[in-house]
PDB file of all heavy atoms in Angstrom:
ATOM      1  N   ALA A 255     129.920 -14.171 159.038  1.00  0.00           N
ATOM      2  CA  ALA A 255     129.763 -13.063 158.097  1.00  0.00           C
ATOM      3  C   ALA A 255     129.186 -13.500 156.755  1.00  0.00           C
ATOM      4  O   ALA A 255     128.831 -12.652 155.935  1.00  0.00           O
ATOM      5  CB  ALA A 255     131.112 -12.381 157.873  1.00  0.00           C
ATOM      6  N   ALA A 256     129.065 -14.792 156.513  1.00  0.00           N
ATOM      7  CA  ALA A 256     128.719 -15.308 155.185  1.00  0.00           C
ATOM      8  C   ALA A 256     127.430 -14.714 154.619  1.00  0.00           C
ATOM      9  O   ALA A 256     127.392 -14.312 153.448  1.00  0.00           O
ATOM     10  CB  ALA A 256     128.643 -16.831 155.206  1.00  0.00           C
ATOM     11  N   ASP A 257     126.367 -14.649 155.389  1.00  0.00           N
ATOM     12  CA  ASP A 257     125.104 -14.125 154.867  1.00  0.00           C
ATOM     13  C   ASP A 257     125.231 -12.650 154.492  1.00  0.00           C
ATOM     14  O   ASP A 257     124.768 -12.225 153.435  1.00  0.00           O
ATOM     15  CB  ASP A 257     123.962 -14.316 155.875  1.00  0.00           C
ATOM     16  CG  ASP A 257     123.552 -15.771 156.027  1.00  0.00           C
ATOM     17  OD1 ASP A 257     123.857 -16.584 155.126  1.00  0.00           O
ATOM     18  OD2 ASP A 257     122.916 -16.100 157.048  1.00  0.00           O
ATOM     19  N   ALA A 258     125.860 -11.873 155.356  1.00  0.00           N
ATOM     20  CA  ALA A 258     126.036 -10.439 155.094  1.00  0.00           C
ATOM     21  C   ALA A 258     126.938 -10.222 153.884  1.00  0.00           C
ATOM     22  O   ALA A 258     126.685  -9.338 153.053  1.00  0.00           O
ATOM     23  CB  ALA A 258     126.599  -9.730 156.321  1.00  0.00           C
ATOM     24  N   VAL A 259     127.995 -11.023 153.760  1.00  0.00           N
ATOM     25  CA  VAL A 259     128.917 -10.895 152.634  1.00  0.00           C
ATOM     26  C   VAL A 259     128.225 -11.291 151.332  1.00  0.00           C
ATOM     27  O   VAL A 259     128.372 -10.616 150.303  1.00  0.00           O
ATOM     28  CB  VAL A 259     130.195 -11.734 152.868  1.00  0.00           C
ATOM     29  CG1 VAL A 259     131.030 -11.852 151.603  1.00  0.00           C
ATOM     30  CG2 VAL A 259     131.012 -11.129 154.001  1.00  0.00           C
ATOM     31  N   SER A 260     127.446 -12.347 151.364  1.00  0.00           N
ATOM     32  CA  SER A 260     126.717 -12.776 150.170  1.00  0.00           C
ATOM     33  C   SER A 260     125.772 -11.678 149.690  1.00  0.00           C
ATOM     34  O   SER A 260     125.712 -11.364 148.498  1.00  0.00           O
ATOM     35  CB  SER A 260     125.944 -14.063 150.468  1.00  0.00           C
ATOM     36  OG  SER A 260     125.273 -14.509 149.317  1.00  0.00           O
ATOM     37  N   ALA A 261     125.038 -11.087 150.622  1.00  0.00           N
ATOM     38  CA  ALA A 261     124.114 -10.002 150.273  1.00  0.00           C
ATOM     39  C   ALA A 261     124.877  -8.794 149.724  1.00  0.00           C
ATOM     40  O   ALA A 261     124.473  -8.195 148.725  1.00  0.00           O
ATOM     41  CB  ALA A 261     123.284  -9.603 151.490  1.00  0.00           C
ATOM     42  N   ALA A 262     125.992  -8.452 150.357  1.00  0.00           N
ATOM     43  CA  ALA A 262     126.773  -7.295 149.927  1.00  0.00           C
ATOM     44  C   ALA A 262     127.391  -7.514 148.550  1.00  0.00           C
ATOM     45  O   ALA A 262     127.443  -6.583 147.737  1.00  0.00           O
ATOM     46  CB  ALA A 262     127.858  -6.977 150.954  1.00  0.00           C
ATOM     47  N   ALA A 263     127.852  -8.721 148.277  1.00  0.00           N
ATOM     48  CA  ALA A 263     128.444  -9.012 146.974  1.00  0.00           C
ATOM     49  C   ALA A 263     127.423  -8.802 145.857  1.00  0.00           C
ATOM     50  O   ALA A 263     127.768  -8.345 144.769  1.00  0.00           O
ATOM     51  CB  ALA A 263     128.991 -10.437 146.937  1.00  0.00           C
ATOM     52  N   GLY A 264     126.167  -9.079 146.164  1.00  0.00           N
ATOM     53  CA  GLY A 264     125.122  -8.906 145.167  1.00  0.00           C
ATOM     54  C   GLY A 264     124.753  -7.465 144.882  1.00  0.00           C
ATOM     55  O   GLY A 264     124.128  -7.174 143.858  1.00  0.00           O
ATOM     56  N   VAL A 265     125.103  -6.551 145.773  1.00  0.00           N
ATOM     57  CA  VAL A 265     124.720  -5.139 145.588  1.00  0.00           C
ATOM     58  C   VAL A 265     125.919  -4.191 145.504  1.00  0.00           C
ATOM     59  O   VAL A 265     125.736  -2.987 145.497  1.00  0.00           O
ATOM     60  CB  VAL A 265     123.770  -4.664 146.717  1.00  0.00           C
ATOM     61  CG1 VAL A 265     122.490  -5.483 146.740  1.00  0.00           C
ATOM     62  CG2 VAL A 265     124.457  -4.677 148.070  1.00  0.00           C
ATOM     63  N   ILE A 266     127.125  -4.737 145.409  1.00  0.00           N
ATOM     64  CA  ILE A 266     128.320  -3.897 145.439  1.00  0.00           C
ATOM     65  C   ILE A 266     128.314  -2.857 144.316  1.00  0.00           C
ATOM     66  O   ILE A 266     128.663  -1.693 144.535  1.00  0.00           O
ATOM     67  CB  ILE A 266     129.625  -4.740 145.416  1.00  0.00           C
ATOM     68  CG1 ILE A 266     130.868  -3.863 145.555  1.00  0.00           C
ATOM     69  CG2 ILE A 266     129.720  -5.616 144.198  1.00  0.00           C
ATOM     70  CD1 ILE A 266     131.039  -3.212 146.882  1.00  0.00           C
ATOM     71  N   ASP A 267     127.895  -3.247 143.132  1.00  0.00           N
ATOM     72  CA  ASP A 267     127.883  -2.283 142.020  1.00  0.00           C
ATOM     73  C   ASP A 267     126.868  -1.174 142.266  1.00  0.00           C
ATOM     74  O   ASP A 267     127.148   0.002 142.021  1.00  0.00           O
ATOM     75  CB  ASP A 267     127.588  -2.986 140.693  1.00  0.00           C
ATOM     76  CG  ASP A 267     128.736  -3.893 140.252  1.00  0.00           C
ATOM     77  OD1 ASP A 267     129.890  -3.624 140.647  1.00  0.00           O
ATOM     78  OD2 ASP A 267     128.475  -4.867 139.526  1.00  0.00           O
ATOM     79  N   ALA A 268     125.692  -1.530 142.773  1.00  0.00           N
ATOM     80  CA  ALA A 268     124.678  -0.518 143.075  1.00  0.00           C
ATOM     81  C   ALA A 268     125.169   0.435 144.163  1.00  0.00           C
ATOM     82  O   ALA A 268     124.932   1.645 144.093  1.00  0.00           O
ATOM     83  CB  ALA A 268     123.371  -1.188 143.498  1.00  0.00           C
ATOM     84  N   ALA A 269     125.866  -0.093 145.157  1.00  0.00           N
ATOM     85  CA  ALA A 269     126.410   0.757 146.220  1.00  0.00           C
ATOM     86  C   ALA A 269     127.433   1.727 145.646  1.00  0.00           C
ATOM     87  O   ALA A 269     127.445   2.907 146.008  1.00  0.00           O
ATOM     88  CB  ALA A 269     127.039  -0.099 147.315  1.00  0.00           C
ATOM     89  N   ASP A 270     128.282   1.249 144.747  1.00  0.00           N
ATOM     90  CA  ASP A 270     129.275   2.121 144.108  1.00  0.00           C
ATOM     91  C   ASP A 270     128.624   3.244 143.311  1.00  0.00           C
ATOM     92  O   ASP A 270     129.197   4.313 143.158  1.00  0.00           O
ATOM     93  CB  ASP A 270     130.183   1.315 143.190  1.00  0.00           C
ATOM     94  CG  ASP A 270     131.212   0.495 143.949  1.00  0.00           C
ATOM     95  OD1 ASP A 270     131.409   0.748 145.157  1.00  0.00           O
ATOM     96  OD2 ASP A 270     131.815  -0.400 143.331  1.00  0.00           O
ATOM     97  N   LEU A 271     127.419   2.983 142.815  1.00  0.00           N
ATOM     98  CA  LEU A 271     126.707   3.984 142.021  1.00  0.00           C
ATOM     99  C   LEU A 271     125.819   4.887 142.869  1.00  0.00           C
ATOM    100  O   LEU A 271     125.061   5.697 142.341  1.00  0.00           O
ATOM    101  CB  LEU A 271     125.881   3.297 140.928  1.00  0.00           C
ATOM    102  CG  LEU A 271     126.719   2.581 139.868  1.00  0.00           C
ATOM    103  CD1 LEU A 271     125.821   1.774 138.934  1.00  0.00           C
ATOM    104  CD2 LEU A 271     127.558   3.577 139.077  1.00  0.00           C
ATOM    105  N   GLY A 272     125.897   4.726 144.200  1.00  0.00           N
ATOM    106  CA  GLY A 272     125.208   5.649 145.093  1.00  0.00           C
ATOM    107  C   GLY A 272     123.875   5.185 145.640  1.00  0.00           C
ATOM    108  O   GLY A 272     123.188   5.952 146.313  1.00  0.00           O
TER     109      GLY A 272
END
Side-chain angles (χ1 to χ4, degrees):
D257 289 340
V259 168
S260 182
V265 300
I266 184 68
D267 291 334
D270 285 346
L271 294 172

